[in-house]
Amino acid sequence: MAGIDYTSLIPNNVALHENRRLQRALEDWQPKFLDWWQDMGPTGFQAKEIYLRTAVSVDAKGWAQFGYVRMPEYRWGIFLAEPEAGRQVNFGDHKGQPAWQEVPGEYRGTLRRLIVTQGDTEPASVEQQCHLGRTSPSLYDLRNLFQVNVEEGRHLWAMVYLLDAHFGRDGREESEALLQRRSGNADKPRILGAFNEPTPDWLSFFMFCFFTDRDGKYQLASLAESGFDPLSQTCRFMLTEEAHHMFVGEAGIMRIVQRACELMREHKTDDLRPHGGIDLRLIQKYLNFHCSVSLDLFGSEISTNAANFYTTGLKGRFEETKKDDDHQLKDAAYTVAGLDGERITVREEAALVSLNERLRDDYVADCARGVARWNEVIRKHGIDVELTLPHRAFHRAIGIFSEVRVSPDGRVISQAEWDARHGDWLPNEDDKAYIQSLMHPVTEPGKFANWIAPPPRGINGQPVDFEYVRLG
Ligand SMILES: [Fe+2]
Ligand SMILES: [Fe+2]
């Protein structure tokens, strides 16, 4: 593996200077990326100095450097995790063959599509979040938003590198198209549904980081198992950054929950609107929404595409190499949720076509661990309420459950009941307006909006009242 080259226009550890054609392609793309960032990146803060971490290495002991940066001057670079000597394709029909350093010709189209679909989510989330800076509950949170944003930008670079390095002219065209689609735009939307939903407020932002970035974690982890080694190395490094995004989400919601509990005890009520808080019922509604749209991102329960990605060695299971089976799954079965008329049931399906559902199961278990940590905060306040994940069939737009109406506790219900009740389960117009009414910026170091508790500690050992963003 090459050392880190920080002197060239594009910081990298892929020896870019040795491949002039690729270097030129990326240097040609770079100003287009910067134009996109200026247009679609965080509105109103491009000239401010932000205390950000920048990837400077892929060393597990320390890969980041912290310091003040103006976002358009952020060093977006290309970093691949260290190669694994003698790595093989670890699953599917090619199991046991040496991992591919070049794209196998017969899988070119499929692999390109996988990379483009992942790549498209990265700029999409920056677009979804571009107005949030104006209403941040603190400088600490403002900085975390921008950290997530610049790293999603870097993830876009990571995917564009793969496209330009391995897919020739098609790859370069896809790289351009990644800068042309726009989240929520009717004519040129982003590829996946959840990435066309706006992120209009900070409660939504934290929920997005918890639920939707976690989908990212599971997709990246499956792609990190890929037999196509450059994709594996790329995704392995992206996962180290992704962990912070999920931290932002989990800790953000935890602080809102904590503040809700404090206000409940102080005012002896669970209606926090008169006191400017976000009550647990409202948090539950936002949770229901973001969980359900993120569950859709895993695709249909039964999917021949998913089976093909696996048998061809392109996309593995979560923690594929830690599993103790034949890694081919030709005769294996898997239990999948299904519908029997009006009843939600489970049934055995072939494991290969059930891989989307299996990944969704891993994801749901991970989400449940986070929700349990939020409930721990509520319990410690002596409050007898629990947040819960909605049933996986609730409010789905993709897969078998998109055909029925289901309550959060998993009952198939009539359209009439849905019409009457969905405003109790999902944020309604009144709820959204209330959350919007709380969104006022707090910009004094160490101060926090009334609806969220301060974090227990700052970033990178800095105090909570550190000037994380220099607004002056
Ligand atoms: Fe990302
Ligand atoms: Fe992320």
Side-chain angles (χ1 to χ4, degrees), residues 118 121-122 125 148 151-156 213 216 220 238 241-242 245:
Q118 177 61 42
T121 66
E122 314 291 357
S125 67
V148 170
E151 286 176 351
E152 300 304 5
R154 207 204 66 75
H155 289 177
L156 173 60
D213 277 281
L220 291 174
M238 290 166 77
E241 296 165 313
E242 205 61 60
H245 307 177

Side-chain angles (χ1 to χ4, degrees), residues 277-296:
I278 303 178
D279 59 58
L280 297 175
R281 244 175 60 86
L282 193 45
I283 294 172
Q284 180 69 57
K285 288 187 184 189
Y286 275 75
L287 186 165
N288 290 345
F289 176 77
H290 286 273
C291 182
S292 57
V293 298
S294 301
L295 286 171
D296 275 338

Side-chain angles (χ1 to χ4, degrees), residues 140 143-144 206 209-210 214 242-253 455-459:
Y140 167 89
R143 176 267 169 205
N144 282 350
F206 291 130
C209 291
F210 183 85
R214 191 177 312 274
E242 205 61 60
H244 175 69
H245 307 177
M246 285 176 294
F247 159 79
V248 169
E250 180 172 330
I253 299 295
R457 65 191 67 83
I459 293 290

Side-chain angles (χ1 to χ4, degrees), residues 172-376:
R172 289 193 293 280
E173 281 170 10
E174 295 283 15
S175 298
E176 305 266 316
L178 282 165
L179 295 176
Q180 281 154 12
R181 287 185 288 274
R182 290 286 182 273
S183 176
N185 185 303
D187 299 324
K188 40 179 187 177
R190 292 295 174 182
I191 295 169
L192 298 172
F195 291 88
N196 287 299
E197 298 278 349
T199 310
D201 59 74
W202 280 77
L203 178 57
S204 301
F205 170 65
F206 291 130
M207 287 290 180
F208 183 96
C209 291
F210 183 85
F211 285 106
T212 309
D213 277 281
R214 191 177 312 274
D215 159 70
K217 167 186 166 183
Y218 280 81
Q219 302 302 336
L220 291 174
S222 314
L223 294 172
E225 303 287 344
S226 182
F228 178 50
D229 207 39
L231 177 60
S232 167
Q233 287 178 47
T234 300
C235 290
R236 271 191 279 141
F237 185 65
M238 290 166 77
L239 281 165
T240 58
E241 296 165 313
E242 205 61 60
H244 175 69
H245 307 177
M246 285 176 294
F247 159 79
V248 169
E250 180 172 330
I253 299 295
M254 188 173 280
R255 291 161 49 213
I256 298 173
V257 167
Q258 185 183 326
R259 187 64 187 138
C261 294
E262 290 166 4
L263 288 168
M264 284 167 83
R265 286 186 15 163
E266 188 182 329
H267 300 284
K268 304 198 170 33
T269 174
D270 47 20
D271 177 15
L272 300 182
R273 291 197 189 192
H275 310 292
I278 303 178
D279 59 58
L280 297 175
R281 244 175 60 86
L282 193 45
I283 294 172
Q284 180 69 57
K285 288 187 184 189
Y286 275 75
L287 186 165
N288 290 345
F289 176 77
H290 286 273
C291 182
S292 57
V293 298
S294 301
L295 286 171
D296 275 338
L297 291 168
F298 291 83
S300 294
E301 291 78 7
I302 300 301
S303 164
T304 49
N305 272 341
N308 287 335
F309 296 156
Y310 189 82
T311 49
T312 52
L314 301 180
K315 183 180 177 187
R317 287 171 294 176
F318 180 65
E319 297 188 328
E320 180 69 44
T321 47
K322 292 188 187 164
K323 293 192 193 303
D324 188 19
D325 59 25
D326 71 356
H327 302 278
Q328 293 190 312
L329 308 178
K330 300 266 189 225
D331 307 311
Y334 193 77
T335 306
V336 175
L339 261 182
D340 176 11
E342 298 287 86
R343 268 184 47 246
I344 294 171
T345 57
V346 291
R347 60 181 196 282
E348 294 279 287
E349 289 285 348
L352 278 175
V353 291
S354 310
L355 286 166
N356 284 344
E357 189 68 356
R358 183 191 290 244
L359 193 60
R360 190 163 19 234
D361 285 342
D362 291 329
Y363 169 82
V364 169
D366 199 16
C367 290
R369 287 189 284 272
V371 173
R373 287 189 286 271
W374 297 337
N375 283 330
E376 188 66 11

Side-chain angles (χ1 to χ4, degrees), residues 15-120:
L16 204 52
H17 61 280
E18 289 173 11
N19 186 339
R20 298 303 299 274
R21 187 200 57 74
L22 176 58
Q23 187 173 16
R24 263 199 307 275
L26 288 167
E27 285 177 3
D28 180 55
W29 188 80
Q30 189 174 38
K32 297 171 192 165
F33 168 83
L34 287 171
D35 284 349
W36 167 82
W37 181 270
Q38 288 285 0
D39 272 8
M40 300 308 297
T43 309
F45 292 89
Q46 302 278 9
K48 306 296 181 199
E49 293 184 330
I50 328 280
Y51 185 71
L52 293 174
R53 78 174 179 189
T54 302
V56 293
S57 141
V58 292
D59 191 335
K61 289 195 286 296
W63 54 271
Q65 168 185 295
F66 287 78
Y68 285 102
V69 190
R70 291 185 187 88
M71 287 184 279
E73 292 158 21
Y74 190 76
R75 302 301 311 271
W76 283 285
I78 298 162
F79 301 103
L80 270 55
E82 292 291 338
E84 226 178 84
R87 185 166 179 269
Q88 298 183 338
V89 182
N90 293 313
F91 58 91
D93 289 346
H94 302 284
K95 182 170 173 275
Q97 296 174 11
W100 307 303
Q101 301 307 320
E102 292 299 330
V103 179
E106 68 269 42
Y107 303 146
R108 200 177 173 78
T110 317
L111 197 49
R112 192 181 74 206
R113 193 73 201 150
L114 273 174
I115 293 169
V116 166
T117 307
Q118 177 61 42
D120 193 66

